[in-house]
Amino acid sequence: MIWFLVRRLLATVAVLLVMSAIVYGLFYLMPGDPAVLACGKRCGPDQLVVTRHKLGLDQAVYLQYWHFLQGVVVGRDYSSGPDVNHCAAPCLGYSFQSDQPVTNLLLDRLPVSASLTLGALVLALVLGVGAGLLSALRRGTFVERLLTGVTLLGFSTPVFLIGLILLLVFCAWLKVLPFPSYVPLTENPAEWARNLVLPWCALALIEAALFARVARAGTLETLAEDHIRTFRAYGVPERQVVRRHALRGALAPVATITAVELATIIVSAMLTESMFGLPGIGKLAVEASTSVDLPVITGVTLLAGTAVVLANAVADLLHAAIDPRVKLA
Amino acid sequence: MTLFDSELAAGADPVLAPGEEPVPAAGTDPVPSRRGGAWRRLRADRSALAALVLVGLLVLVALAAPLLTALEGQDATTFHSQLLDSARGGVPHGAFGGIGADHWLGVEPGTGRDVFARIVYGARVSLGVALAATALELVVGIAIGLAAGLGGPRVDAVAGRVIEIAIAFPSLLLALALLAIVPQSVPRPVLVALAITAVNWGNVARVTRAQAMSLRTRDYVDAARLAGVGPVRIALREILPGLTTPLMVLAALKVPSNIVSEAGLSFLGAGVRPPTPSWGQMLSTSTTWFQTDPAYVIVPGGLLLVTLLAFSLFADGVRRALDPRSTRV
Amino acid sequence: MRLRPFVLLGSALLAATSAVAGCGGGSGSGGGAAFDPKTCQGGTLTVLNQGGLGKFDPATLYTSGGGALPSLVYRTLTTRKRVPGQDGTKPVPDLATDLGTPSDNAKTWKYTLRDGLKFEDGTPITSKDVKYGIERSFSPDLPGGAPYLHDWLVDGTGYKGPYKGGDLKSIETPDDKTIVFKLRAPHGDFPYLATATQFAPVPKAKDTGVKYQNAPVSSGPYRVAKYEVGKKLVLVRNPSWSRAVDGQRLACPDRIEVTAGLDATVINQRLSSGSGADAKAITTDTSVGPEQLARVGGDPNLAKRVARGVFGETKYLAFDTTKKPFNDVRVRQAVAYAINRQSVINAIGGSELASPATTFLPDGKAFGQQPYDYFPAGQSGDPAKAKALLAQAGYGSGLTVDLAYPNVDTDGIGPKVAPAVQDALKQAGITVKPKPFSDDDYRNVTGKPSTQPALSLQTWGTDWPAGGPFLIPIFDGRQIITSGGNFNLAQLNDPAVNKEIDRINTITDAAQAAPAWGALDATIGKQALVVPLYHPKTVALFGKDVKNAYVDEWRGWYDIASVSVK
């Protein structure tokens, strides 16, 4: 078990290294001069030289990447003239647009993204597992067909379209919910929730469709197992069968799918944030793309990639721990 | 965006190795021979057939865009400032976004361009980009997948990792970042198709790799190898045909997924640029107009929804027809 | 303004309806007593902004008239007059006793500080502090301010600031009250320039270089209690300041909390709903979008809480007259005839947010605008006339040109406007190929004559309400900068124009100078060097408990120094 853990950990680190090299390479070795972008709108030739040196862009590529890695792990110093700015680990550099440390920008935006994603996940779990369970237990009925249709709809619809429809109905026509504007949870919990209802619903409907599918499949698989048939044959009440066994069958794959599909969830959250103007990490990424803010783009991409890689590693471990059939090889 | 790939990542796996006896899942009918009956099964599947008709209709609309706009007497780029209420921010005069005999689906707020013309030309962009990206993904994915599956353990160690990273990455985020750093002068639809390909080829490669690995140990492949047939020829002649079934299903699933990707990128402002119309772009604009001109949300949004449903239902049908073992999920 | 560098300056006022100053209960649905400057003190004002808190150092800020928020903390030698209407375009003394005494044909300007001025820590403000503040704005570590001081002051171009360059000789401080500026050429506009934050006093002992903005020493009614770059600014009362030593700022709220980084939509939604603290909120950088204009029109309660105005700003098409085909005046005229201003205006939000422009100078007495429309395109263009001119120029069979523009709409010359221009020119047989650039790249590309596209969308806003800063950078032949940062995109170097600019620069009376600038604009306009498209307008919401929220005509935005929330 220990060896398995160590090996899995090493593999994860290797993947992260490869990923960071690819991402860094992609964004910093593109045609065009990052120094020009960093220097901004009014930039003379002198300032350009200073900027290039300050960012270390006058060094060899492998050195630049090495310094970047150093920054992430132990922090790094940026010197401009007499002043030395220390950028503490994990340092992802400074935004070209706002001159703020990218790490700070990400941390600032994290509560918004976390509020959105976690809230939506909870909602999606309830909706998705409920729908999956129901449609598995009511096979061949109208309910099943309806749920299948709704699931397909949720699956086919991009989140921004769902968001627009929700806005149209609840904000423009019924006027029961405000156009979302993020209020920190610590400031006013009621307003926090009221403003996030629409984004939560939009994102949750997408995720719920995903959960419903695997929950349904998981339930069906469980119900088909021999011991369930035996229970039923022995007259164990249906309610107990559902509560004890079907629910477990529905929930187990949902945990895995959340990790496996984290990439999809991140992308949907990014679209949701842009759609509702929520100042989260996804919106930061979109803004950074528009202004070609390379350090921010790199930072967000790496963060998202790392989250996905780690989630997959954890899912593997969990899977191995739960399911003895998985060889710890 | 990899919404649809989840079906491959977890739960219902459409991949079926040739020669394997399909195992009937609980509750499904016994299965007749697979390939030969596929078309028959597809024809018998009413929802898939309806979807196919819709898909055909949409392709026809896209192909006949110049004809249709000529019939209407409008084009996609001419501004009609006289049709807009300038004092009210540029919303169209008249009810429902200015729908009438001259402009069948009304005019665009802010510009007065004909919505019908933009929709049908937008269909060209949406479908064109999605189909081109799907084809490219297949080419790239098959090439890398075959190399990983047949190239021996060392190649596989590297290629396999790269495939894993490619699949795990939040694709739209990477596509967005890629589109931000490439030169602005390259034709946009081509760039968008390439960006979508660059981030979405992973699961094609994975399916190909797994399939190739299983096929490579088959007797007929061994026989070919012993007869002195070269590795490339083996890959193309002996292995590739065995991949047709799972890849056809995957391709069918990829089209709607790529339509969503294109719409998402355009929605975030990284897709095709005005005056080239695209549905995602129209929806992006409509976020500012949903209160004053709801028709502009409903028309492109409804159309995108119908398109995605049609393609998804069709893909579902294809999967059921080719792989009847899989349950309806 | 060379490039709208600081978001605090936006656009300005014109016809504020019932929302203007002093209309008491009328302006806020919450009611309450009418606005009275004597009893207006108290409460917390919330400011909801999109940007503008990226920096707060008086050396690096680029403002028009000292800006909205900075002028609450930094007093300057002169400042804009804090009144609604046309008078708001005039400079008035602030730290100084008068607008300055010119001598040597407006090449020397002398100021005397008023009595009783103190920093927030109680130490007296001297002319040496003002000089030091200006000097540090020359430091390469503190870039970003307006370039005028560098160009105007004797030895200004080579000076590297006090950290490395020592003392700047062209600013003299014979005693603690007096400060004298020596300029290279006559500049009658010096009192306007002296409203910039670079003219704010900075005590040398408290200067911490690039970190100064985190704890600047206030000379104005408020001091900085908290500053988080790009996000938050909290201002509280400066105990060393009183109305007795400041004739301009009312400084009604006790506390001002600024939040930046919000979406335009979010700001407007919050201001219009006005719940909680948002009832006492305003914005200093966000105009109502087209999406809300229809609602404002239909809701009398909301209409009361809107202030309108204009900022001297022109959006235009710029030609490089040295490049084909625009070296031919007939082609330039053809473009001018073909343009459809109505569709351009609709594209950026309709007639409430912009008015069509046919002159380069914005309207308003301060600019001395002399109306002209030499190539009348009407509302929707005159393609027939354009085609005829093109045929004369030898392009009867059509013409293909590239149109450069930034890929964002923040300046109102981006992806929304470009297709409108493209479509209008198409009607005249000109095929336009769109060439979008990333926002940062755009200035670098268009500002260097060697890389400048022949046709581009441009914006020009004024650093102060006068014709000079509008016409000089664009049309003065000696301002063509080949190394980058050029704004004379037409590459016009006309000795007659240059000579007239020099003549007007020596006029120290703004009332006399204005018509001269207007006449110069009308002369240059005949050459069709640019095609003016529109002048933007501000339509800004304020919370229902906000009083005296008028838009000043200098900057086109609320003057926070006059707003009350009590």
Side-chain angles (χ1 to χ4, degrees):
Chain A
M1 187 70 191
I2 294 289
W3 275 116
F4 171 77
L5 273 179
V6 169
R7 213 175 315 169
R8 198 69 188 79
L9 200 71
L10 284 177
T12 307
V13 170
V15 168
L16 286 177
L17 269 177
V18 172
M19 192 184 70
S20 73
I22 294 176
V23 169
Y24 189 87
L26 267 182
F27 296 136
Y28 280 87
L29 303 180
M30 282 307 277
D33 188 350
V36 172
L37 294 168
C39 199
K41 287 189 180 178
R42 269 175 305 149
C43 182
D46 296 349
Q47 259 174 300
L48 196 63
V49 173
V50 173
T51 311
R52 188 167 290 133
H53 180 70
K54 183 175 154 191
L55 295 174
L57 294 169
D58 46 1
Q59 294 169 326
V61 172
Y62 66 91
L63 274 179
Q64 290 184 37
Y65 175 62
W66 175 244
H67 289 312
F68 176 79
L69 277 188
Q70 265 188 326
V72 174
V73 181
V74 293
R76 70 190 282 194
D77 290 330
Y78 287 93
S79 56
S80 63
D83 289 309
V84 176
N85 275 336
H86 180 68
C87 176
C91 171
L92 293 164
Y94 287 84
S95 157
F96 289 168
Q97 285 293 310
S98 66
D99 283 329
Q100 299 246 53
V102 174
T103 314
N104 289 10
L105 286 176
L106 292 174
L107 287 176
D108 283 348
R109 308 289 192 113
L110 192 61
V112 183
S113 297
S115 300
L116 171 68
T117 323
L118 295 180
L121 263 178
V122 171
L123 197 60
L125 268 181
V126 175
L127 287 176
V129 173
L133 209 58
L134 198 65
S135 96
L137 295 172
R138 300 270 182 280
R139 291 209 80 189
T141 65
F142 171 73
V143 175
E144 191 215 359
R145 277 203 297 278
L146 182 77
L147 284 172
T148 309
V150 171
T151 310
L152 188 68
L153 202 71
F155 233 59
S156 319
T157 319
V159 68
F160 52 86
L161 188 51
I162 295 189
L164 262 172
I165 294 167
L166 290 175
L167 269 182
L168 200 60
V169 174
F170 293 99
C171 181
W173 289 344
L174 301 178
K175 297 188 198 309
V176 287
L177 286 166
F179 187 91
S181 136
Y182 181 72
V183 178
L185 176 65
T186 47
E187 222 167 76
N188 187 338
E191 278 299 302
W192 171 80
R194 208 169 76 92
N195 276 292
L196 279 169
V197 169
L198 285 179
W200 277 341
C201 289
L203 187 51
L205 284 176
I206 296 283
E207 290 172 10
L210 194 70
F211 292 162
R213 284 199 173 192
V214 292
R216 179 173 180 278
T219 313
L220 286 177
E221 204 175 296
T222 313
L223 291 182
E225 278 167 22
D226 288 344
H227 66 277
I228 301 279
R229 269 187 247 172
T230 318
F231 285 152
R232 281 192 175 147
Y234 276 99
V236 175
E238 187 66 16
R239 181 174 296 183
Q240 198 176 327
V241 171
V242 170
R243 205 185 299 151
R244 289 245 176 108
H245 303 281
L247 192 59
R248 178 180 54 82
L251 278 174
V254 164
T256 324
I257 197 82
T258 308
V260 174
E261 287 297 296
L262 189 65
T264 309
I265 295 172
I266 288 175
V267 164
S268 300
M270 178 169 89
L271 283 164
T272 312
E273 286 174 8
S274 298
M275 143 100 243
F276 291 105
L278 295 172
I281 293 176
K283 185 134 182 302
L284 182 71
V286 176
E287 289 163 2
S289 302
T290 315
S291 55
V292 204
D293 196 338
L294 289 180
V296 177
I297 296 178
T298 315
V300 177
T301 318
L302 276 182
L303 180 72
T306 308
V308 169
V309 170
L310 289 181
N312 277 299
V314 170
D316 275 6
L317 289 179
L318 280 179
H319 200 193
I322 295 168
D323 193 341
R325 281 174 303 179
V326 177
K327 270 189 245 135
L328 297 182
Chain B
M1 187 151 50
T2 53
L3 280 182
F4 292 86
D5 306 337
S6 56
E7 301 184 35
L8 302 168
D13 192 337
V15 179
L16 192 66
E20 261 179 26
E21 267 306 305
V23 186
T28 47
D29 304 325
V31 181
S33 79
R34 285 173 313 101
R35 196 83 52 80
W39 177 238
R40 191 172 43 74
R41 278 194 299 275
L42 191 62
R43 268 191 314 183
D45 188 335
R46 264 186 307 163
S47 71
L49 216 56
L52 182 63
V53 170
L54 253 177
V55 166
L57 210 64
L58 283 161
V59 173
L60 211 64
V61 163
L63 288 176
L67 227 69
L68 289 169
T69 48
L71 204 64
E72 192 204 16
Q74 301 293 342
D75 66 73
T77 54
T78 301
F79 282 55
H80 299 282
S81 47
Q82 72 282 2
L83 297 178
L84 303 176
D85 188 343
S86 197
R88 292 176 66 231
V91 294
H93 284 297
F96 304 111
I99 290 179
D102 288 341
H103 298 277
W104 296 348
L105 293 176
V107 293
E108 206 176 41
T111 65
R113 290 182 293 211
D114 185 71
V115 172
F116 177 77
R118 290 189 78 70
I119 289 272
V120 295
Y121 272 97
R124 287 189 150 192
V125 174
S126 294
L127 300 185
V129 168
L131 290 173
T134 307
L136 284 171
E137 281 164 21
L138 283 175
V139 172
V140 175
I142 289 173
I144 296 180
L146 283 179
L150 304 174
R154 280 215 196 122
V155 179
D156 186 45
V158 178
R161 273 276 160 264
V162 173
I163 292 171
E164 288 309 312
I165 294 181
I167 290 173
F169 223 83
S171 53
L172 198 68
L173 176 63
L174 193 60
L176 182 76
L178 285 177
L179 285 170
I181 54 174
V182 293
Q184 308 266 336
S185 47
V186 186
R188 213 60 194 173
V190 177
L191 266 185
V192 174
L194 286 176
I196 294 176
T197 306
V199 299
N200 275 339
W201 55 270
N203 30 41
V204 178
R206 175 157 74 181
V207 169
T208 309
R209 172 177 170 269
Q211 202 69 356
M213 281 184 155
S214 107
L215 288 180
R216 129 185 113 171
T217 57
R218 296 271 181 275
D219 290 345
Y220 66 93
V221 178
D222 279 341
R225 199 176 293 132
L226 285 173
V229 180
V232 176
R233 209 180 157 81
I234 288 185
L236 296 180
R237 282 286 173 82
E238 313 294 342
I239 308 281
L240 204 52
L243 290 167
T244 335
T245 306
L247 288 182
M248 269 170 77
V249 175
L250 192 52
L253 286 167
K254 275 216 164 273
V255 176
S257 150
N258 286 338
I259 293 178
V260 171
S261 292
E262 188 279 327
L265 285 170
S266 294
F267 183 84
L268 296 176
V272 295
R273 296 244 160 77
T276 313
S278 124
W279 297 349
Q281 194 191 83
M282 293 172 97
L283 286 171
S284 178
T285 317
S286 73
T287 50
T288 50
W289 298 100
F290 73 93
Q291 277 169 312
T292 43
D293 187 6
Y296 193 60
V297 182
I298 294 165
V299 171
L303 210 75
L304 180 61
L305 197 62
V306 168
T307 306
L308 289 173
L309 265 179
F311 274 99
S312 309
L313 278 173
F314 176 62
D316 231 32
V318 168
R319 188 183 56 195
R320 278 197 303 273
L322 286 174
D323 177 21
R325 180 186 64 154
S326 73
T327 51
R328 268 191 72 160
V329 278
Chain C
M1 165 186 69
R2 307 216 157 184
L3 339 133
R4 189 189 270 269
F6 192 60
V7 201
L8 290 183
L9 52 97
S11 315
L13 155 94
L14 185 65
T17 49
S18 57
V20 187
C23 47
S27 71
S29 56
F35 172 74
D36 179 358
K38 289 193 198 75
T39 59
C40 75
Q41 283 103 330
T44 297
L45 174 71
T46 304
V47 182
L48 306 173
N49 281 352
Q50 296 180 69
L53 290 183
K55 49 190 179 176
F56 205 66
D57 190 305
T60 60
L61 289 169
Y62 193 146
T63 61
S64 183
L69 298 163
S71 93
L72 299 172
V73 177
Y74 308 124
R75 293 185 64 184
T76 41
L77 282 183
T78 61
T79 191
R80 56 185 196 272
K81 194 167 185 184
R82 313 302 171 104
V83 287
Q86 188 66 50
D87 270 359
T89 60
K90 292 179 178 157
V92 287
D94 191 4
L95 292 172
T97 52
D98 57 24
L99 286 173
T101 317
S103 58
D104 189 19
N105 199 19
K107 277 164 78 177
T108 300
W109 285 84
K110 182 178 155 210
Y111 289 86
T112 309
L113 299 193
R114 61 190 290 169
D115 294 325
L117 296 171
K118 281 183 191 132
F119 281 116
E120 67 175 80
D121 57 6
T123 52
I125 295 171
T126 71
S127 56
K128 295 189 174 56
D129 299 319
V130 177
K131 178 181 175 177
Y132 184 72
I134 295 171
E135 282 177 342
R136 63 193 290 281
S137 78
F138 281 76
S139 165
D141 298 329
L142 298 169
Y148 296 97
L149 278 165
H150 294 246
D151 297 343
W152 290 9
L153 282 171
V154 172
D155 295 332
T157 39
Y159 182 59
K160 295 283 178 210
Y163 309 127
K164 284 184 196 133
D167 184 51
L168 181 58
K169 300 277 188 299
S170 50
I171 304 177
E172 294 165 5
T173 49
D175 58 58
D176 276 358
K177 288 272 175 209
T178 314
I179 185 163
V180 182
F181 298 89
K182 304 272 193 198
L183 311 184
R184 289 196 292 191
H187 285 290
D189 274 356
F190 198 82
Y192 287 97
L193 180 64
T195 61
T197 54
Q198 284 70 26
F199 286 80
V202 174
K204 194 172 182 176
K206 298 280 172 69
D207 183 17
T208 48
V210 291
K211 297 186 185 98
Y212 181 70
Q213 64 176 2
N214 298 322
V217 184
S218 167
S219 50
Y222 298 92
R223 63 180 178 82
V224 175
K226 185 175 163 193
Y227 174 52
E228 287 175 58
V229 177
K231 278 192 315 197
K232 193 113 199 149
L233 176 72
V234 178
L235 301 177
V236 295
R237 285 203 183 278
N238 169 11
S240 300
W241 176 92
S242 74
R243 283 187 186 174
V245 293
D246 190 336
Q248 291 301 319
R249 297 166 185 83
L250 293 177
C252 301
D254 285 338
R255 186 181 171 88
I256 297 172
E257 293 190 2
V258 190
T259 307
L262 300 169
D263 248 34
T265 330
V266 169
I267 293 172
N268 283 318
Q269 294 280 353
R270 280 178 66 175
L271 289 174
S272 58
S273 59
S275 56
D278 292 346
K280 296 181 175 178
I282 57 171
T283 174
T284 64
D285 71 359
T286 303
S287 216
V288 167
E291 65 272 22
Q292 276 126 354
L293 278 172
R295 286 185 55 218
V296 169
D299 182 348
N301 267 328
L302 210 55
K304 271 191 240 166
R305 295 198 275 122
V306 167
R308 290 156 198 273
V310 290
F311 169 64
E313 208 175 0
T314 303
K315 314 287 177 181
Y316 63 101
L317 272 173
F319 302 113
D320 182 344
T321 61
T322 65
K323 292 198 175 100
K324 273 193 143 191
F326 303 112
N327 53 352
D328 188 331
V329 69
R330 288 167 299 190
V331 175
R332 303 201 298 266
Q333 289 173 354
V335 173
Y337 275 113
I339 209 73
N340 182 335
R341 293 196 171 84
Q342 187 62 52
S343 66
V344 169
I345 287 171
N346 282 340
I348 57 107
S351 55
E352 295 285 296
L353 294 177
S355 54
T358 60
T359 63
F360 189 63
L361 281 179
D363 40 12
K365 224 169 97 189
F367 296 101
Q369 186 216 44
Q370 185 179 314
Y372 62 82
D373 189 3
Y374 299 125
F375 317 106
Q379 272 213 325
S380 51
D382 187 347
K385 180 83 189 168
K387 273 185 181 153
L389 278 162
L390 283 175
Q392 278 178 34
Y395 296 105
S397 55
L399 173 65
T400 302
V401 295
D402 288 348
L403 172 66
Y405 59 93
N407 71 346
V408 289
D409 280 312
T410 37
D411 281 328
I413 51 167
K416 280 186 180 159
V417 171
V421 172
Q422 185 184 19
D423 179 58
L425 297 192
K426 194 175 94 184
Q427 315 293 330
I430 304 173
T431 309
V432 170
K433 284 197 183 151
K435 291 277 175 225
F437 290 87
S438 83
D439 201 25
D440 283 336
D441 232 14
Y442 192 58
R443 295 298 164 191
N444 296 328
V445 171
T446 60
K448 210 180 274 178
S450 54
T451 58
Q452 182 198 335
L455 179 67
S456 59
L457 277 164
Q458 297 290 338
T459 175
W460 195 254
T462 186
D463 283 316
W464 56 80
F470 227 91
L471 297 179
I472 296 168
I474 310 293
F475 298 120
D476 187 333
R478 295 152 301 180
Q479 299 270 342
I480 301 172
I481 311 162
T482 48
S483 61
N486 177 48
F487 290 101
N488 185 341
L489 299 185
Q491 318 275 342
L492 175 73
N493 193 356
D494 180 342
V497 172
N498 298 351
K499 207 176 144 210
E500 177 64 3
I501 288 174
D502 286 344
R503 187 190 73 80
I504 310 174
N505 265 340
T506 61
I507 304 174
T508 53
D509 178 5
Q512 263 183 47
W517 290 121
L520 180 62
D521 178 39
T523 311
I524 298 173
K526 288 178 185 147
Q527 300 188 48
L529 301 169
V530 298
V531 181
L533 296 174
Y534 69 95
H535 304 301
K537 300 195 252 185
T538 309
V539 180
L541 283 167
F542 53 85
K544 54 180 184 276
D545 293 343
V546 174
K547 288 173 196 157
N548 205 30
Y550 66 86
V551 175
D552 79 67
E553 208 154 319
W554 179 306
R555 294 169 44 262
W557 281 106
Y558 302 123
D559 194 345
I560 301 182
S562 306
V563 164
S564 161
V565 290
K566 197 180 165 217

